[in-house]
């Protein structure tokens, strides 16, 4: 089977590439190595994949029709995992036009190429942020998602909608995965677990927005990949699935757990809550469990053990 993974050099993308290669597939990774965080880290993410002759890296931008045309002409791509995006809630408030351009126009560009070249299935990386401040917990796929509270969330919802249109018009099989804060080795450096670990380890101040009581459902990378593999290998028509752990931890508890593992106290600076941040995320994963066979295995305490060990190893290099 031939897969295209957009954003293949990123955190989730590089793990997915490795998993698809391990199962004997040919994998094309498309990535523009943008400067949202250090592109050298993304190159490092691909070290293992690049040793596999079944992997091809295409350095290019999703918004470039020419590059997509070239890739789809040269490779008989059957299934696409569309992970490339500008991620992050807070920076999307500073730069909404860029987020719309990459996440909406880029997705549309890709869907056009999928239509033209007869792609069978597309799995789209959506986000739990589409739920906004949903009062009902846990969040289920059929809850209303008409009130995104950041441009990033709005672009992810827009992506789900445009994927539906291409499913309806051209019969592309689509699964949208609403990932709930994914963490683990290679996590993006600006995300909370990575950032807190780094700052605590370096003895620097940790900015905590709000009073520490906000809660998140954190998904370990191996579980996110297992859910994604389930989606890539099944028929959907058009479906949306939550990919979370269905367990939450507060920000204060998270910091304590990281302190214990790093062996240092955090120098916490309390700041007002940030606009765009949601109070709580909590995934109802029954649908993914029934349809994708999704069974998250790694609880936060164990996942943090793996993450902090990885971070400390990397910081010695
Ligand atoms: P990431 O930033 O590590 O990966 C995204 C990759 O896409 C990067 O390597 C980047 O260089 C690439 N990219 C960006 N713009 C591109 C463009 N125009 N053309 C080609 N490549 C481009 O982020 P991640 O955490 O691995 O997230 C992967 C996907 O999952 C994203 O769509 C993100 O919105 C979504 N998601 C992630 C999380 C999470 O917790 N990590 C949660 C919800 C949704």
């Amino acid at each position: 089977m031939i897969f295209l993974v957009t954003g293949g050099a990123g955190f989730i993308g590089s793990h997915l590439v490795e998993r698809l290669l391990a199962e004997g597939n040919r994998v094309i990774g498309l990535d523009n190595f943008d400067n949202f965080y250090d592109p050298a880290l993304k190159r490092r993410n691909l070290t293992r994949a690049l040793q596999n002759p079944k992997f091809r890296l295409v350095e290019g931008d999703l918004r470039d029709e020419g590059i997509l045309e070239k890739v789809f002409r040269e490779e008989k791509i059957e299934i696409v995992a569309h992970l490339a995006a500008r991620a992050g809630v807070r920076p999307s408030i500073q730069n909404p036009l860029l987020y719309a351009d990459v996440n909406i126009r880029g997705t549309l560009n890709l869907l056009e190429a999928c239509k033209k070249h007869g792609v069978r299935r597309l799995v789209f990386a959506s986000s739990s942020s589409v739920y906004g401040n949903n009062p009902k917990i846990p969040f289920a796929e059929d809850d209303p998602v008409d009130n995104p509270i950041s441009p990033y969330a709005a672009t992810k919802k827009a992506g789900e909608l445009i994927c539906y249109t291409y499913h309806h018009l051209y019969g592309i099989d689509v699964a949208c995965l609403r990932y709930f804060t994914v963490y683990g080795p290679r996590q993006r450096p600006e995300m909370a677990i990575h950032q807190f670990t780094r700052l605590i380890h370096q003895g620097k101040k940790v900015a905590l927005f709000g009073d520490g009581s906000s809660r998140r459902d954190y998904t370990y990378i191996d579980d996110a990949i297992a859910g994604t593999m389930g989606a890539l290998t099944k028929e959907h028509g058009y479906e949306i699935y939550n990919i979370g752990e269905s367990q939450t931890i507060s920000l204060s508890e998270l910091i304590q757990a990281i302190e214990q593992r790093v062996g240092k106290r955090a120098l916490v600076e309390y700041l007002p809550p940030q606009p765009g941040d949601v109070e709580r995320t909590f995934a109802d994963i029954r649908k993914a469990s029934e349809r994708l066979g999704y069974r998250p295995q790694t609880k936060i305490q164990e996942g943090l053990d793996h993450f902090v060990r990885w971070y400390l190893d990397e910081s010695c290099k």
Side-chain angles (χ1 to χ4, degrees):
M1 198 83 85
I2 307 186
F3 290 84
L4 171 68
V5 180
T6 72
F11 162 44
I12 302 177
S14 63
H15 283 280
L16 183 63
V17 163
E18 283 179 8
R19 177 67 190 273
L20 287 166
L21 289 170
E23 302 208 346
N25 299 292
R26 173 154 177 78
V27 183
I28 321 301
L30 173 77
D31 205 294
N32 71 345
F33 294 88
D34 72 11
N35 63 357
F36 181 56
Y37 61 92
D38 184 358
L41 296 175
K42 301 179 191 181
R43 298 210 177 267
R44 196 143 95 200
N45 289 346
L46 288 178
T47 313
R48 217 174 299 162
L50 284 167
Q51 289 162 5
N52 189 319
K54 288 193 163 175
F55 179 63
R56 174 178 170 193
L57 171 64
V58 177
E59 291 195 35
D61 196 302
L62 198 57
R63 292 163 292 176
D64 176 349
E65 285 163 38
I67 198 96
L68 292 185
E69 180 60 24
K70 185 170 178 325
V71 176
F72 278 93
R73 255 179 207 279
E74 289 174 357
E75 306 278 350
K76 187 76 202 93
I77 292 161
E78 298 162 87
I79 301 185
V80 174
H82 177 32
L83 303 178
R86 273 278 165 166
V89 165
R90 291 173 198 158
S92 77
I93 299 175
Q94 310 308 322
N95 209 346
L97 293 177
L98 174 64
Y99 275 70
D101 200 43
V102 175
N103 298 0
I104 304 178
R105 189 164 73 85
T107 298
L108 201 45
N109 217 22
L110 177 68
L111 285 164
E112 273 292 292
C114 291
K115 170 192 94 180
K116 186 167 171 198
H117 295 275
V119 165
R120 187 148 60 92
R121 179 172 306 131
L122 179 131
V123 170
F124 171 66
S126 185
S127 162
S128 61
S129 63
V130 301
Y131 289 107
N133 277 322
N134 188 11
K136 174 188 151 279
I137 52 161
F139 300 172
E141 291 85 347
D142 52 5
D143 290 349
V145 286
D146 295 328
N147 303 98
I149 64 167
S150 68
Y152 169 70
T155 66
K156 287 291 170 184
K157 176 63 187 159
E160 293 183 354
L161 294 173
I162 195 66
C163 283
Y164 178 79
T165 307
Y166 275 69
H167 161 69
H168 174 79
L169 290 175
Y170 310 112
I172 303 174
D173 196 51
V174 173
C176 298
L177 303 182
R178 292 179 177 164
Y179 293 118
F180 283 66
T181 320
V182 184
Y183 73 103
R186 305 181 193 158
Q187 191 193 37
R188 301 197 320 262
E190 96 291 356
M191 292 185 76
I193 291 180
H194 196 156
Q195 197 182 125
F196 293 163
T197 304
R198 182 174 63 249
L199 294 172
I200 294 171
H201 183 238
Q202 295 174 348
K204 294 188 178 153
K205 257 192 222 162
V206 175
L208 193 156
F209 299 101
D211 62 4
S213 65
S214 65
R215 303 187 76 85
R216 287 270 175 292
D217 190 339
Y218 291 97
T219 314
Y220 191 64
I221 182 68
D222 292 359
D223 291 328
I225 295 300
T228 309
M229 290 298 290
L232 287 168
T233 51
K234 293 197 174 54
E235 288 284 323
H236 308 282
Y238 174 89
E239 293 292 346
I240 295 174
Y241 303 96
N242 286 339
I243 298 293
E245 296 285 325
S246 214
Q247 286 209 337
T248 67
I249 177 172
S250 75
L251 208 49
S252 300
E253 289 161 348
L254 180 72
I255 288 178
Q256 268 176 23
I258 295 174
E259 287 177 329
Q260 285 162 8
R261 284 159 180 81
V262 174
K264 288 188 187 174
R265 294 302 302 269
L267 307 170
V268 178
E269 180 182 21
Y270 288 90
L271 295 169
Q274 290 277 292
D277 284 0
V278 298
E279 253 312 292
R280 170 175 58 187
T281 65
F282 187 169
D284 181 335
I285 55 172
R286 283 174 297 179
K287 183 174 172 188
S289 161
E290 282 160 21
R291 312 261 189 102
L292 307 179
Y294 174 63
R295 308 264 186 286
Q297 304 288 319
T298 310
K299 300 267 178 276
I300 184 77
Q301 299 295 342
E302 185 193 340
L304 285 175
D305 287 344
H306 299 318
F307 177 79
V308 172
R309 208 173 305 131
W310 170 81
Y311 173 84
L312 294 174
D313 281 354
E314 288 292 302
S315 65
C316 298
K317 283 183 185 164

